[in-house]
Amino acid sequence: MPSKSAKKQDTKKKTTVIAGEDLASRLEKKIKDRSASIAIIGMGYVGLPLAVEFGRVGFKVNGIDILEKKIKTINAGKSDVDDIKDYEVKELVDLKRLHCTNDFSVLKNSDVVIICVPTPLNKTKDPDVSFILAAVEQIEKYLHQGQLVVLESTTYPGTTEELIRPKLDALGLKVGRDLFLAFSPERVDPGNEKYTTQNTPKIVGGTTPACLKVAKAFYEQVIVQVIPTSSTKAAEMVKLLENTFRSVNIGLVNEVALMCDRLGIDVWEVIDAAATKPFGFMPFYPGPGLGGHCIPIDPHYLSWKLKSLNYYARFIELAGDINSHMPEFVVEKITKALNSRRLSINGARILILGVAYKKDISDLRESPALDVIRLLQEKGAKVSYCDPFVPVIKMDHGPDLKAITLNEKTLKSCDCAAITTDHSSFNYQWIVDNSPIVVDTRNATKNVISGRKKIFKI
Ligand code: SAJ
């Protein structure tokens, strides 16, 4: 098919548009010979690893971020993301394949733009897509023909099609012909050394078949397996199913823990025994609540969208309710443990062991340990904490809490030590031997010989 080309003056954007069917193949060629220039908006735990992967295979990557400190760190050849080492950034910066800036005008010369900005919930637990909108507003300023725009931020089904596409179409450039638009969910698991950006299969949905083809070719340059979906909506839903699956199953197992507590059954024994079933079962474990930037947040993007379609996502809401009440259950357990020594929670010296939202990382976002600390303080307890990954906690109310050193003295001088994050570096036998009372919310003491000392487990 001879490539058509026609010039038309776009009154809205004063841009000469060369509509041509070969724009996709031209971009695909630049992708395959690595001459395509990439811009990644949002250089966090998703954006920076992506930049490193593409820089490593020869692409020139401009990282765009609003945080001056982050920009300086990356351009100095250092990483501020746990999973990326300084040397990985330095070698790309030295090769001039990675540069970070807050100047969106680099988009003028970018062939591929990836949006990796946060999608939190606002105070009323509704999706906050303001970061996506802010990024798209900048993209609109520098949009040009032949560009591929990919949204990676987790969001509700329809965001790419209903929120982004109309903005780009309105500029006179036709999505699927003059430029390309796709959605590809991030699957970064912080701290996971086995599954990295490169070897975790990547879902990609295109606005049109041409968009899918180009986006798939793009990710195939660095990711071992790229899985296409029939639409951007399907790709958005895949991510939400993945994380809703976890939040609902964690909610289920937390409710099982509440039931076992009332039945006087050890929930950990029950789960371990059920996990011997070689098919049809997948173990999840109770805990002090649901932390992190994904699992507690993402499912509410789905339930919010469905509410607008007059559907109430009961499982999501129920799991959210159970998970968010687990910190209260932990405080009840601590109260019961103190009572066993005729101690009141008011005035008790409680030592919290581990505050990150999950073990062996430093991330505090949505950490249930913070809720446990707040609830204990509200009841008059004197709370201190130890966490080798978290030197200080900026509390919403009251003074910052600084981590104290974990030693025999700090253990012996508290009334109760509560394990809320089961970091591998803790010595749990030593903790039990030296603490007057231990509350364990993670079954971290499963291999400990406690002798006559009772360990209070959830
Ligand atoms: N949690 C439990 N019980 C469980 C599993 C987790 O209480 O059985 C708690 C954790 O302590 C944490 C929260 O849930 O507070 C979330 O834990 P997570 O293991 O789901 O870890 P995240 O939030 O880092 O989730 C990420 C997700 N990755 C992406 O979204 C790309 C998730 O999809 C991964 O499955 C998860 O890592 C993982 O498997 O580690």
Side-chain angles (χ1 to χ4, degrees):
M1 167 85 87
S3 70
K4 281 186 300 180
S5 71
K7 284 186 183 258
K8 71 177 179 181
Q9 193 59 37
D10 173 345
T11 48
K12 281 195 202 123
K13 203 167 176 297
K14 302 278 174 286
T15 307
T16 305
V17 175
I18 306 167
E21 286 142 18
D22 65 345
L23 280 173
S25 49
R26 259 192 263 174
L27 177 54
E28 215 170 310
K29 186 178 171 307
K30 290 182 81 173
I31 286 171
K32 288 180 177 166
D33 68 21
R34 310 275 200 272
S35 62
S37 165
I38 300 171
I40 297 179
I41 304 173
M43 292 296 278
Y45 78 94
V46 175
L48 183 58
L50 214 49
V52 167
E53 291 300 339
F54 281 101
R56 211 178 259 152
V57 297
F59 286 95
K60 183 171 168 22
V61 183
N62 277 304
I64 303 175
D65 207 286
I66 52 174
L67 298 176
E68 204 47 50
K69 185 165 176 274
K70 181 182 280 290
I71 293 169
K72 285 204 175 80
T73 301
I74 292 171
N75 290 340
K78 293 191 182 321
S79 163
D80 63 349
V81 165
D82 289 350
D83 293 345
I84 297 294
K85 303 288 176 279
D86 289 347
Y87 78 85
E88 296 176 281
V89 177
K90 185 172 184 335
E91 63 187 16
L92 295 175
V93 169
D94 292 350
L95 286 168
K96 302 213 178 319
R97 283 203 211 135
L98 174 59
H99 178 71
C100 203
T101 178
N102 62 3
D103 177 4
F104 280 87
S105 68
V106 298
L107 295 176
K108 257 187 287 195
N109 305 312
S110 302
D111 300 299
V112 182
V113 186
I114 314 175
I115 306 170
C116 301
V117 296
T119 44
L121 294 177
N122 60 27
K123 292 249 181 296
T124 54
K125 275 210 168 200
D126 293 329
D128 173 0
V129 292
S130 61
F131 295 95
I132 294 180
L133 293 173
V136 173
E137 201 177 312
Q138 293 297 334
I139 291 170
E140 287 175 85
K141 284 183 197 162
Y142 306 101
L143 197 70
H144 54 79
Q145 63 181 25
Q147 241 178 356
L148 166 63
V149 176
V150 187
L151 176 62
E152 288 222 354
S153 308
T154 303
T155 184
Y156 60 81
T159 303
T160 308
E161 192 62 31
E162 300 157 12
L163 204 62
I164 301 179
R165 181 178 189 173
K167 291 177 182 297
L168 305 187
D169 271 336
L171 297 169
L173 291 170
K174 185 154 179 48
V175 171
R177 187 195 62 193
D178 306 320
L179 73 129
F180 310 95
L181 177 60
F183 179 83
S184 178
E186 58 93 358
R187 278 178 163 175
V188 175
D189 177 21
N192 190 328
E193 289 174 5
K194 184 177 175 195
Y195 295 110
T196 63
T197 299
Q198 192 191 26
N199 68 7
T200 301
K202 194 89 163 97
I203 302 294
V204 180
T207 306
T208 69
C211 298
L212 174 60
K213 188 168 182 295
V214 170
K216 189 168 177 291
F218 173 67
Y219 282 108
E220 280 171 341
Q221 303 312 305
V222 295
I223 295 175
V224 173
Q225 196 185 2
V226 178
I227 318 285
T229 60
S230 60
S231 66
T232 55
K233 248 183 173 179
E236 289 158 342
M237 189 63 184
V238 167
K239 171 71 180 178
L240 292 175
L241 171 59
E242 288 168 8
N243 286 2
T244 300
F245 167 78
R246 285 185 76 73
S247 79
V248 167
N249 278 289
I250 292 164
L252 168 65
V253 80
N254 278 331
E255 180 159 58
V256 170
L258 299 176
M259 292 191 258
C260 286
D261 186 63
R262 282 159 179 71
L263 290 164
I265 298 171
D266 180 339
V267 65
W268 305 94
E269 175 200 1
V270 169
I271 294 165
D272 286 348
T276 60
K277 183 180 178 190
F279 52 85
F281 183 79
M282 177 179 181
F284 285 85
Y285 299 95
L290 200 55
H293 46 276
C294 305
I295 310 304
I297 310 282
D298 301 346
H300 293 287
Y301 269 73
L302 184 55
S303 58
W304 173 85
K305 176 68 180 176
L306 271 295
K307 268 183 210 142
S308 72
L309 301 171
N310 292 324
Y311 183 83
Y312 182 65
R314 285 157 291 183
F315 276 109
I316 292 173
E317 300 301 329
L318 176 60
D321 184 49
I322 292 172
N323 290 329
S324 59
H325 280 87
M326 289 309 283
E328 284 169 38
F329 178 58
V330 170
V331 172
E332 280 168 30
K333 192 58 81 173
I334 292 172
T335 305
K336 213 177 273 179
L338 289 167
N339 279 348
S340 71
R341 293 281 181 96
R342 300 186 193 291
L343 293 170
S344 150
I345 200 159
N346 190 346
R349 294 158 301 168
I350 313 278
L351 179 61
I352 297 292
L353 297 176
V355 291
Y357 81 79
K358 70 177 183 181
K359 72 185 215 180
D360 301 341
I361 63 169
S362 59
D363 200 332
L364 271 181
R365 283 175 289 185
E366 308 291 321
S367 175
L370 301 180
D371 294 318
V372 171
I373 290 172
R374 174 180 49 79
L375 291 169
L376 289 169
Q377 288 177 331
E378 285 169 3
K379 291 178 181 300
K382 296 191 185 71
V383 185
S384 51
Y385 84 94
C386 300
D387 187 314
F389 295 86
V390 182
V392 65
I393 302 174
K394 294 201 168 314
M395 300 300 285
D396 290 344
H397 308 289
D400 292 355
L401 264 186
K402 283 196 172 48
I404 65 167
T405 312
L406 182 59
N407 54 41
E408 268 188 38
K409 183 170 173 291
T410 47
L411 284 173
K412 288 187 188 314
S413 60
C414 76
D415 295 312
C416 170
I419 301 162
T420 37
T421 309
D422 49 335
H423 290 312
S424 311
S425 58
F426 286 146
N427 177 334
Y428 294 103
Q429 183 66 55
W430 174 75
I431 286 168
V432 169
D433 292 346
N434 290 283
S435 306
I437 300 177
V438 173
V439 171
D440 180 0
T441 72
R442 298 284 192 172
N443 200 30
T445 58
K446 56 180 176 282
N447 299 322
V448 162
I449 300 158
S450 58
R452 293 165 50 80
K453 192 172 282 181
K454 177 174 169 39
I455 298 172
F456 293 81
K457 294 206 288 190
I458 64 167

